[in-house]
Structure formats: structure tokens, C-alpha cells
Amino acid sequence: MDKIFKDLNDAQREAVETIDGPILILAGAGSGKTKTITSRLAYLLKIGIDPANTLTLTFTNKAAREMRDRALSLIEDSIYPPLLCTFHKFGLLFLKFYINELGRNNSFVIIDTDDKKRIIKSFEPDIPIGTIASEISRYKNSLIEPETAIESAQLPNFKKIASIYQKYQNYLKENNLVDFDDLLILTYKILDQNEDLCKEISNRYQYIMIDEYQDTNELQYKLVQKLCSTHNNICVVGDDDQSIYGWRGANVKNILEFPQQFNETKIIKLEKNYRSTKEILKAANALIEHNRNRLGKKLIATLEDGKPIEIYESKDENEESKKIAQKIRELLDSGVDPKDIAVLFRINALSRSLEEGLNRARIPYKLVGAVRFYERAEIKDIISYLRIVANPYDDFSLKRIINKPKRGIGKVTLDKIQKKAYENKKPMLTYLLECSEDELISLVGKKNQKTIKEFINGLEILKDISKDSLYKFIDEIENIFGLRKYYENLPDGMERVLNIDEFYGLFRDFVKQNPQNSLDDFLNELSLQSDQDQIDGEHISIMSVHASKGLEFKYLFVIGMEEGFFPLTGDGSDIEEERRLGYVAITRAKKELVLSYVHSRFYRGRRTELNKSRFLKEAGLCKGSLTLEKSTSFKKGDLVKHKIFGIGRVTGVSKVGREFKLSINFSGQKRDILASFVEKI
């Protein structure tokens, strides 16, 4: 036992020794959450609880492995390991034994995301595959059957998606396939339909622990209820102040309402922070206290005082990246290990100016959990348009964009054009320009011939404009080809459009500062800015705030601390989740923290004057009146549930006084309902 309790503080020890009844362990950032939960599991086994009667669920295989190893290292006795796995792994194990309850064979095969998209593609939809896959996943996790989806769909695109959903489900059943979502959905359905089996499974797992409970969604909560149907020995560990995944289905209400959902819940708060200095924690506490929907706790510093938090104020993003690169260079020259330094941003599009600043200062970096700005698909597409206009001999760029946005020009058609062009010893674009109408029709068909001619005419118009006015050039790319519109219809459309706007803004700024330069000059400059091939060795990390969760760095920089960037504002934004993101960002810092804002930045493709983030004021780091703005997490396309009208889909969001009004389609009946009267599903 000494090994288990060694170095535990009073709150951690209480959490370990409390084994009966529902327990909510509120674990603040840097408070030893993993140590507590692994010690608790070890304690259960040490006092004689059969490992087979325990179930510990988490969200990643890596976390599960680490927790299992740490728990077993605290026990000398040779025992078989307890079941400690992800929610989905538990679902897989369960279905291998019980999927026959649904009249299906346990020899099912699990398909991955690529397989799922290939199946959907086989139905030849005219809606982006990613959009359909995402919507099907949303239906499934809301436990909405295809028949209900078809019945409630009114907008043409959603009718098509619901129909494809039904075809997709039939395909899975006919071929005994199970997708990632099914691992939980089918498990829940079996437990819901078979009361005796539900009791049997609940009796088997007498002691249940769930890590990162603030990240659970509605389906996972319902599954947990089934697993606890015969007892209340459930211990959940999490931090409501770090619930930042609402956009992908996580429901912060699961942790906020846990004491109401499980009677006589014991709440244990882990508030001692072993990571950050007093100054950093003071700012984090001050910021998060502005949230109303929280259970409430305060991080207490165990480390000595450190340096005050620095605020960088810059004219624009170029000055900002220069200052940060200069400071990082000073740290590296003083002997700081690169892996102890990180730069965070709320929006991926902000990485462009940062990457260029680090490149200029020859500071090696790694973009964690994302693709470098110039390597993102939407940016490479635009650059390919510029390249083919500047250089008609560039077959590589032509092949990339001839079907972007989608024009029905498939691989077979493209191969025919390429083969014919090579036979004539001409670049593909030259061949298409010189090719007669009849020749092209015989090669690719009448429909494709017309499409290709429209595409080529568009490129020719752009070529003429590039000689006349580069400033109009970007607007014409959009007018003719509509790349923004194409990308905004994808599941991650908002992020992609922000990247496109960032690039357009960069282009306009280049033209403004270099009015005599040509398109070739811009492309050459781009090649130099985005080239990091010469950099080897160790690197600092740059990443989004979402990607930083669970990590920590001695020296941390957070850029883009402006209204509209951090926090994101406007329809569909949730200011409390944005504030939780700010809290997560600040608490990643161990020793020194720099928060940076600018007076102007490219936004939506234009240079925009900006105000510094309200979070700087709320964290007590600068003076000024607080910005109070009611916001809503609902957005167009969301599925919602009303107590009387049932399930509907949001078709519009508008502000009415201090509230938000949603236009909702309930199976053909359109109603305007205040946001506070419906629940997202």
C-alpha cells in the first residue's frame, strides 16, 4: 500500500480510497489526474477486487496503455490485467460475444474511414463524400435510424444524404460490416433491447472508471447508464473547464449534471497544480471564473513564483511573427531545449505568417497535428491555378485542378487527354487549346468537351487579367472557378475557407507592396518562403490550442489574441467553450508565457482592424471594460430536439434582443423557436 499512496496529496488519497457509490473527481490542469486514477485502480486490485469486475474507459489507446502500465507497476502480485481500454475497444469486445442478439454473425469486419468513403462513393452521390460521411456519423451518434432521417429531411441535400444513409446501412448489413460508430451504437442497442443481458453485464463490471469524462457525447453517456444499471459504483475523472470538443459532439452537460444524474455523488476536487507558476495560474483562474456553466474549482500553485506573463502588441502579423521568432532565437541561443518551446494559435490559418517568420529566422519547427500552411490541399489547389496561368507547360498543376471544383472530369478522361497530348508532343493545355471541337468530342464525349472548354476559357481570361491587373486577379479566380464555395461545403469548410482567405490576403498584400512585380515573381517568392527542406535537427512545436491539450511546455507563446480570432465570435460560436480553450492554452505553460495580439490582420481575404481579445482583460492582464456577448452553439444544419415538436433541423440562426432564435424544420413544419428551448442532438 505504501507504494500506492506514496506522494499522493490529501485530495488524491481521498479519491483513491473512496470506492463505493458515484464519484466525480474534478481534476484541474496539472493536478496529477493520471496518477490519481491509476493509483485508484491499483488500490481496488490490492484490496482484493477481482480485475474482471473492473472496467476503466478512456479515449485513446495510448492513454489506456500508459494507465494500465502505471497501475500494474504499483502492484507486485502476479494477477491478470484489468480491462482498461477505449470506449470503442470495449464495444468491439462486446459485439464479438453478443452481436448475434441482433441476428448478425460475429465474424463481422470493421471498416475504416477510407472504406466508408469508398462505399458511399459507389452510390455515385453529387454531394461531397466527406459531407455525407460526416452527416451519417451524426445521425448514428444521435441514434437516428435511416427511416427517421428520411422522414424528417426536407431540404433537398439532406433528403439525398438520408437516402444514401439507408443504402449505406443496408450495404453494411448485407456484407456483415461494422463501422467505427457502430461499435458503440450496436452495443447500446443490444443492452437497451435485452434487459437480462444488460443486468448481467452491469453485475460483471462492479467498479467502473471513466477518464476525460468531459469529452463524452450523448451516446457514451447513455451507454454508461446501461453499464451502471444495477449499481452506482461509477467514478468519473475530468475537468469541466477543459471541455473543448463540443464541435465534434462532446457534451459538457455530462460532467456538469453528473451529480443530478447519479444520486449521492461525492465530488472530490484536485486543485493543487504541479505544472505552472503562480502568475500563470492566477491568469487561468481569473479567466475561467467568467464562465457561468461550471462546477467551480481553483488551481493552487505548488511551485515558486515565476516571471510575469508578457503581452506582445504588434502592428500586424508580420511584426508579431518577427518578435516571436526573435524571442525564440534568444531562448535557443541561451541553451533552452527546442522541445521546451511551443507556439499556439486558435485558427490554423494563423500558422502562415508564423511559419514564414520562423523560416526567415531559420528556426526549425514542427507543425503538430496539422498540415503546414502551403501543404494544405486548398492552398495547393489555388497555387496550381496560379502556376498554370503563369506557365501553360505545367502539366502537373493542370492535372491537379482540372477537376477542382468537381467538373465530372475523371481519371479515365484525364488519362486520354494526357496520352493524346504526349503523342502530339505538346503540353496538355496547349493540346486542349489547339484541339478542334470534333476531335475533342471524339476523345472525351460532348459533355466533357463543353466542360473542358469552359475551364480553358476561364484560364485564358485569368491570363489576360494577370497581364493587366494582378489586384483583380484573385477576385476573378473566385468569380470564374468558385474555390471558396467548393470548399465551404466540405465538413471542415470553415477552416478551409479561412485558409483560402488568408492566402488571398497574402496575395493582395504582395501586389500592394510590389505593384511592378508579376505573377512569376509572387510564385518565386512563395517557393522561398515555404521551403524548409534545408532545416534539420531538433525543432520547436507550433500547433492549434486543440492539439495542445494534454501537453505542457516550459516556454509558451499564444498568438492571435484578438476578438474574432480568439475568441471566435459570431453565429454558431460558444463563448464559454472559447473561454475554456483560453484556459487550456494558458495552463499548457510551465515557466514563461507570452500572449500576443495585433492591431490588424488579414481576415476573410482583407486586411482588417482588430481589437485585442476580451480574454486579456478577463484574465486580469490588461485594463479595459469587459465585452459581454451572449452567443449560441447552434448553427445551420444542426439536428435538435424539442419536448413537444420532436426532432428537427436548424435552417437559420438570428439574434433577438439578448436571445437567439432558431428557424427549425420539424418534418416539414417550419417553426421559429428560441435557442434555450431546444437541445442539440
Side-chain angles (χ1 to χ4, degrees), residues 239-391:
D239 185 359
D240 54 323
D241 292 332
Q242 294 188 72
S243 178
I244 60 173
Y245 296 116
W247 51 278
R248 70 180 188 199
N251 190 348
V252 70
K253 285 184 180 179
N254 289 353
I255 192 166
L256 291 176
E257 297 176 2
F258 185 85
Q260 288 78 49
Q261 292 159 351
F262 295 89
N263 294 330
E264 298 180 14
T265 292
K266 183 171 187 176
I267 300 176
I268 301 171
K269 298 180 182 181
L270 305 185
E271 297 178 300
K272 285 189 176 179
N273 177 283
Y274 298 92
R275 176 190 297 160
S276 308
T277 64
K278 195 173 183 179
E279 288 77 9
I280 291 167
L281 296 183
K282 184 182 176 184
N285 284 327
L287 174 63
I288 202 63
E289 278 174 5
H290 287 80
N291 270 6
R292 295 175 189 172
N293 296 315
R294 62 189 296 259
L295 294 165
K297 65 179 180 319
K298 200 161 192 170
L299 295 177
I300 302 164
T302 60
L303 303 179
E304 295 178 3
D305 293 354
K307 283 182 66 176
I309 294 171
E310 287 189 78
I311 306 292
Y312 282 4
E313 177 184 2
S314 304
K315 178 185 68 182
D316 58 23
E317 67 273 20
N318 296 319
E319 185 181 331
E320 176 184 60
S321 61
K322 187 177 180 182
K323 281 182 183 176
I324 287 171
Q326 187 177 336
K327 175 67 175 177
I328 291 173
R329 172 51 63 199
E330 289 171 10
L331 290 171
L332 294 173
D333 290 346
S334 70
V336 172
D337 192 324
K339 72 173 183 292
D340 290 329
I341 304 171
V343 188
L344 307 184
F345 39 79
R346 170 67 182 88
I347 298 171
N348 283 331
L350 266 62
S351 78
R352 192 269 308 167
S353 57
L354 177 64
E355 289 180 63
E356 290 178 3
L358 294 173
N359 278 334
R360 280 192 290 269
R362 298 188 66 77
I363 294 171
Y365 68 88
K366 180 181 181 183
L367 184 55
V368 179
V371 182
R372 286 180 184 162
F373 185 81
Y374 292 108
E375 292 172 6
R376 290 168 186 154
E378 61 274 19
I379 301 305
K380 290 176 92 168
D381 288 346
I382 298 168
I383 291 172
S384 293
Y385 269 98
L386 302 189
R387 283 179 173 159
I388 196 65
V389 170
N391 176 16

Side-chain angles (χ1 to χ4, degrees), residues 4-247:
I4 292 173
F5 289 112
K6 187 183 178 185
D7 299 328
L8 293 181
N9 62 39
D10 290 344
Q12 291 170 333
R13 186 178 183 116
E14 183 185 10
V16 168
E17 290 182 305
T18 306
I19 62 170
D20 294 322
I23 306 157
L24 170 57
I25 302 174
L26 275 183
S31 64
K33 169 183 73 75
T34 304
K35 183 177 185 177
T36 303
I37 197 171
T38 52
S39 298
R40 188 176 187 277
L41 178 58
Y43 180 75
L44 286 172
L45 304 183
K46 193 70 176 175
I47 63 173
I49 302 296
D50 187 342
N53 293 141
T54 71
L55 172 63
T56 306
L57 298 173
T58 186
F59 279 85
T60 66
N61 290 317
K62 182 183 175 186
R65 278 194 304 271
E66 182 191 348
M67 288 165 65
R68 186 187 301 108
D69 292 346
R70 285 175 68 168
L72 294 179
S73 71
L74 296 171
I75 307 170
E76 289 85 18
D77 303 352
S78 179
I79 55 171
Y80 56 90
L83 182 54
L84 199 164
C85 60
T86 65
F87 273 92
H88 290 89
K89 178 66 179 292
F90 173 77
L92 169 61
L93 296 172
F94 179 87
L95 291 179
K96 281 294 179 186
F97 285 100
Y98 301 110
I99 198 169
N100 60 298
E101 293 285 327
L102 297 174
R104 294 181 59 174
N105 195 302
N106 72 350
S107 61
F108 63 84
V109 174
I110 302 172
I111 61 169
D112 61 19
T113 305
D114 287 339
D115 295 327
K116 180 179 180 179
K117 288 181 177 178
R118 274 195 287 272
I119 293 167
I120 294 169
K121 190 177 181 180
S122 71
F123 303 135
E124 299 183 350
D126 57 0
I127 300 170
I129 307 294
T131 302
I132 299 169
S134 178
E135 193 66 18
I136 287 174
S137 185
R138 188 151 56 156
Y139 280 134
K140 286 192 167 194
N141 280 281
S142 301
L143 294 171
I144 295 173
E145 296 292 336
E147 295 76 20
T148 308
I150 290 169
E151 189 181 314
S152 62
Q154 293 299 317
L155 300 175
N157 273 5
F158 286 116
K159 277 187 175 180
K160 291 177 184 176
I161 291 171
S163 174
I164 291 168
Y165 174 31
Q166 188 169 50
K167 290 178 185 176
Y168 173 75
Q169 284 298 88
N170 291 338
Y171 185 94
L172 294 189
K173 286 175 187 173
E174 287 165 9
N175 293 278
N176 203 20
L177 303 175
V178 168
D179 69 15
F180 202 59
D181 294 319
D182 287 334
L183 294 175
L184 297 189
I185 292 151
L186 298 181
T187 297
Y188 172 77
K189 281 183 180 178
I190 292 167
L191 292 174
D192 190 49
Q193 292 169 15
N194 190 327
E195 192 175 337
D196 291 338
L197 178 60
C198 186
K199 285 180 180 177
E200 180 191 329
I201 297 298
S202 181
N203 283 323
R204 181 184 305 168
Y205 299 115
Q206 287 289 319
Y207 297 91
I208 296 174
M209 284 196 287
I210 301 171
D211 189 26
E212 303 285 8
Y213 193 67
Q214 77 280 349
D215 294 338
T216 54
N217 62 21
E218 187 68 17
L219 176 60
Q220 287 159 339
Y221 160 67
K222 286 184 175 181
L223 184 55
V224 169
Q225 278 190 315
K226 294 294 179 188
L227 295 174
C228 295
S229 60
T230 64
H231 62 80
N232 256 344
N233 294 332
I234 176 170
C235 172
V236 301
V237 187
D239 185 359
D240 54 323
D241 292 332
Q242 294 188 72
S243 178
I244 60 173
Y245 296 116
W247 51 278

Side-chain angles (χ1 to χ4, degrees), residues 397-412:
S397 293
L398 183 75
K399 285 191 285 183
R400 182 179 181 92
I401 62 170
I402 197 167
N403 202 38
K404 284 204 183 158
K406 290 191 181 298
R407 303 183 176 90
I409 309 295
K411 187 177 182 301
V412 174

